[in-house]
Amino acid sequence: MPNSDQQVSLGQHMRISQTQILVLALAMAAVSSSTSAQDGNAPDFKVELNINGCQFSGGTDGYGNVEVMQKTGGKKIQVELLYGDDMVFEPTTFTGPGSDQIRETAGGNANVLNIFNANTGPADVYYQINLRNKQTGETLKCDPRIVNQ
């Protein structure tokens, strides 16, 4: 087996050792796998819901609404609940044209809800975040929009 000092010729003007090839291959694999992991988990849009008055922030307009160009690939929307320690998410309601493209997805924690927009065509969907107070059972409903233009 060759030692790490042996050189491999890459064309007429470039030489690289086998050790350098191994290091480069490992570095490329690490970058590739970390990018894939990030793409699968990182949201495209973050929305915050302050339960005091059902006030949304974030999204594309600063008020929790998300507008994207249609057919530009699936989009993940992460909704984070603020000041809602006593609240739990109930199933989200999606209404309007294109609502069949929108669904809740797993991966959130107690104060985070993930929504996936398949974005396969036009849509103008209200997403109603349904919350329930763990102590009293009282419900709270808040609804911004998702639009595929």
Side-chain angles (χ1 to χ4, degrees):
M1 179 171 188
N3 67 36
S4 63
D5 292 335
Q6 288 184 326
Q7 302 269 311
V8 174
S9 177
L10 299 175
Q12 293 180 3
H13 304 289
M14 191 168 162
R15 296 180 87 59
I16 186 167
S17 74
Q18 290 178 338
T19 302
Q20 290 170 318
I21 291 172
L22 179 60
V23 169
L24 180 60
L26 290 173
M28 290 174 64
V31 167
S32 174
S33 68
S34 84
T35 301
S36 304
Q38 288 174 348
D39 290 347
N41 296 325
D44 295 294
F45 302 98
K46 289 189 176 190
V47 173
E48 293 179 335
L49 169 55
N50 181 336
I51 66 161
N52 300 318
C54 271
Q55 296 175 333
F56 285 90
S57 59
T60 56
D61 67 353
Y63 297 102
N65 298 306
V66 175
E67 291 191 22
V68 297
M69 292 301 296
Q70 64 177 308
K71 297 183 181 181
T72 56
K75 308 297 180 198
K76 181 177 173 184
I77 303 159
Q78 183 180 72
V79 181
E80 182 178 0
L81 189 59
L82 303 178
Y83 313 113
D85 293 340
D86 292 335
M87 305 299 273
V88 292
F89 287 105
E90 292 288 312
T92 302
T93 306
F94 302 104
T95 58
S99 60
D100 60 326
Q101 300 176 56
I102 316 290
R103 62 181 167 79
E104 286 184 51
T105 61
N109 56 35
N111 68 331
V112 173
L113 171 75
N114 292 315
I115 297 172
F116 181 73
N117 175 2
N119 192 17
T120 56
D124 190 354
V125 178
Y126 284 89
Y127 63 104
Q128 180 175 293
I129 304 296
N130 299 305
L131 302 166
R132 180 180 46 81
N133 187 301
K134 292 184 276 191
Q135 310 301 322
T136 66
E138 178 185 5
T139 59
L140 179 63
K141 300 176 181 186
C142 306
D143 63 343
R145 291 170 53 203
I146 299 170
V147 179
N148 298 345
Q149 301 179 14

